[in-house]
Amino acid sequence: MNSIKTRSLIASFCVTLCFAAMASAEVKPSTLFSDHMVLQSGMSVPVWGTADPAEKVTIKFNGQTRSATADASGKWMVRLTKLKSRRPV
């Protein structure tokens, strides 16, 4: 009998983990954004992507923090304030 309770508990735990994994959202920036890309200086820079509907998305870049909430179709966008020009090192 103890073995059945143990199996039941393990099964319940596994099911809970599966649902928790499915519940976690996958926030994705647009595929346009990648490593080593160049952003325009001296102007506001839009950053956008997808997430679960109504999910809050926070972008941190170059000392700026901006947040947005995904719309009903899962799309979100934030605008970074004007970026200063930096010379390559």
Side-chain angles (χ1 to χ4, degrees):
M1 187 73 169
N2 194 12
S3 173
I4 293 173
K5 286 183 182 180
T6 302
R7 284 189 214 161
S8 177
L9 182 62
I10 291 172
S12 296
F13 181 71
C14 289
V15 169
T16 302
L17 283 178
C18 288
F19 281 120
M22 289 188 316
S24 66
E26 190 169 357
V27 175
K28 292 183 181 180
S30 170
T31 56
L32 176 71
F33 300 101
S34 63
D35 291 342
H36 308 293
M37 69 179 291
V38 177
L39 299 175
Q40 181 69 39
S41 66
M43 63 181 297
S44 176
V45 178
V47 179
W48 66 92
T50 58
D52 284 345
E55 180 169 4
K56 184 176 179 181
V57 176
T58 301
I59 301 296
K60 293 181 181 182
F61 179 76
N62 201 27
Q64 296 184 44
T65 301
R66 300 288 180 265
S67 296
T69 302
D71 64 16
S73 64
K75 295 178 183 177
W76 56 267
M77 184 173 81
V78 298
R79 287 193 176 271
L80 300 172
T81 58
K82 293 181 180 180
L83 301 174
K84 292 182 181 178
S85 177
R86 292 181 16 188
R87 291 186 179 181
V89 178

